[in-house]
Amino acid sequence: MRDIIATTSPGVDPLLTSVRRAYALGPFAEAVVSSKKPTIDDVARHCGVARTTVSRVLNGGPNVRDEVRQRVWASVKALDYRVNPQARSLAGGQSRMLALIVASDLDAQPNSFYASALELGALRECLGLGYQLLTRHVAQDRPNRREQVLELIRSQRCQGVMLTPPFADDVELIESIQALDCHAACISPGGAGRDAADGVGIDDAAAGADIARRMIDLGHRRFAFMAGIPGHLAAERRHEGLRGALAAAGLDPDEVAVVRGDFTFRSGAALTPQLLEAPTPPTALICANDDMAAGALSVAHGRGIDVPGRLSITGFDDTPVSEVIWPPLTTVHQPLREMAGEAVRALSGRIGGDRSPPRFVTLSHAVVERASAGAPPGARLRARA
């Protein structure tokens, strides 16, 4: 288990460090080398409002017009303003600590690209709002998983917690967190978690349908789907979207071969052979994330299977691995950093006194077409005929 508070700790593994660097672009990267430290008064002058108004916006307080709130945030970003979390904590008697809970199988390698993207998105927002961030990996299948999260909240005096799937749909856990006078925000909830706390995500069913339609348009008729861990309802909705797109195209969704992995490269590599050795193997393999797709691609290479000439492989998330493998993965982009940032803002608002009903924010997704997907051989023959 690794905890990260506000900045990268020394001694972290090289892979995680390289991923953080890949994501740490723009204002965040500039802030690392900048010695200028603007104050809250600088922000107030820049956007032309009172100092108290800036403070209210930074704390997610009420009674601020949307136009003014947007001006303040624009000035915060333009000046790269950061709150001093220690000073704010001493002044307000609050811990200013938020936690990001990431599900993982501690006996397998983690889905580090996904977790790092969320961590960096949350960290960038925390720096601007004056919060500290603690990231904790919790095994989703352990009997004491809920108690691990609750003990973290108690020991670190967390004011807010961001939950990723499948914790994002664990209503009992969410209610237990709220009973500790701690706020919860759910990233990519796919079920009851949407009603239990504030949430953010994409339309996973629509995204699954979009990638399936693209494969159908290329001429594919034999599909396989590599699902994720049980209880990850957002990934299950991607499968539902796939099935819906196939049915709309006059294809039988029940003919799709489905295998279940755990979102890791290793599981993608372990499951692919049984799909390739089926009597009628698929021409299109749609994976619930990029890491499993990369594992499938490695098996195809090892067996001399042309991708995409004989087998098209797609992923989901648009993480850095999707661009660096060969051929680069066709995938679905979901804005992971923006999702985490939105979750931090939701928590900040609740901490600041917002008592409105839970809200779910839907962010946009997009199919990113790269070289791992193409028309199957039969479709190319029909096109030439």
Side-chain angles (χ1 to χ4, degrees), residues 53 83 92 285 378:
T53 301
V83 180
L285 170 56

Side-chain angles (χ1 to χ4, degrees), residues 17-376:
T17 301
S18 65
V19 173
R20 289 196 179 113
R21 289 172 179 167
Y23 275 112
L25 303 174
F28 179 74
E30 295 168 4
V32 173
V33 297
S34 174
S35 60
K36 187 177 185 302
K37 294 183 178 180
T39 66
I40 191 172
D41 295 306
D42 293 328
V43 175
R45 283 191 293 269
H46 188 273
C47 61
V49 301
R51 187 180 193 275
T52 55
T53 301
V54 175
S55 177
R56 191 176 297 118
V57 172
L58 293 177
N59 285 284
N63 303 321
V64 180
R65 299 196 312 274
D66 287 342
E67 181 270 332
V68 173
R69 196 180 298 274
Q70 292 172 9
R71 278 167 47 202
V72 171
W73 281 118
S75 296
V76 167
K77 293 181 179 180
L79 298 176
D80 194 23
Y81 171 71
R82 302 179 187 177
V83 180
N84 184 322
Q86 287 77 22
R88 176 181 276 183
S89 179
L90 289 173
Q94 299 176 325
S95 69
R96 309 299 296 179
M97 178 70 76
L98 303 182
L100 172 65
I101 305 300
V102 180
S104 63
D105 179 353
L106 301 183
D107 295 324
Q109 77 272 39
N111 181 3
S112 57
F113 295 107
Y114 174 86
S116 294
L118 292 176
E119 181 189 311
L120 284 164
L123 177 59
R124 293 171 73 167
E125 200 65 31
C126 284
L127 288 172
L129 292 173
Y131 289 97
Q132 298 183 79
L133 176 67
L134 186 150
T135 298
R136 175 66 58 86
H137 289 257
V138 178
Q140 70 272 356
D141 56 353
R142 298 292 172 87
N144 67 336
R145 59 190 180 279
R146 293 192 185 105
E147 184 54 36
Q148 287 186 48
V149 176
L150 299 176
E151 177 56 31
L152 178 70
I153 293 170
R154 288 189 288 260
S155 64
Q156 300 297 324
R157 298 174 53 239
C158 296
Q159 291 185 277
V161 177
M162 289 164 277
L163 301 173
T164 62
F167 300 116
D169 285 298
D170 188 339
V171 175
E172 182 178 338
L173 173 61
I174 294 170
E175 292 176 345
S176 297
I177 290 171
Q178 295 166 340
L180 293 176
D181 198 24
C182 179
H183 301 282
C186 299
I187 296 174
S188 297
R194 289 189 178 219
D195 299 321
D198 290 327
V200 58
I202 64 171
D203 187 335
D204 284 280
D210 286 345
I211 192 71
R213 276 193 293 267
R214 181 56 191 143
M215 295 299 100
I216 292 169
D217 290 344
L218 287 170
H220 291 279
R221 298 296 182 267
R222 301 200 308 272
F223 288 83
F225 182 73
M226 191 172 291
I229 59 176
H232 194 303
L233 300 186
E236 296 301 306
R237 289 176 61 81
R238 297 165 199 171
H239 185 207
E240 293 171 8
L242 162 68
R243 290 177 58 87
L246 293 179
L251 302 174
D252 185 356
D254 293 331
E255 292 185 356
V256 176
V258 179
V259 293
R260 186 174 295 281
D262 61 7
F263 294 119
T264 63
F265 177 99
R266 185 173 70 181
S267 69
L271 292 168
T272 301
Q274 70 184 79
L275 297 173
L276 299 178
E277 294 165 7
T280 306
T283 63
L285 170 56
I286 296 179
C287 301
N289 80 331
D290 291 338
D291 282 23
M292 291 193 300
L297 184 60
S298 71
V299 172
H301 285 325
R303 296 188 173 213
I305 296 174
D306 180 22
V307 177
R310 182 175 156 194
L311 175 67
S312 288
I313 300 175
T314 70
F316 204 102
D317 288 337
D318 193 26
T319 55
V321 70
S322 65
E323 294 186 273
V324 300
I325 58 177
W326 184 259
L329 277 176
T330 290
T331 186
V332 174
H333 173 77
Q334 62 170 336
L336 296 172
R337 286 174 290 171
E338 290 81 355
M339 288 160 59
E342 182 65 38
V344 170
R345 289 190 291 273
L347 290 174
S348 179
R350 297 299 180 184
I351 293 168
D354 184 356
R355 296 297 181 264
S356 61
R359 297 182 295 271
F360 184 83
V361 177
T362 302
L363 301 182
S364 60
H365 67 273
V367 174
V368 181
E369 297 194 48
R370 298 194 180 102
S372 71

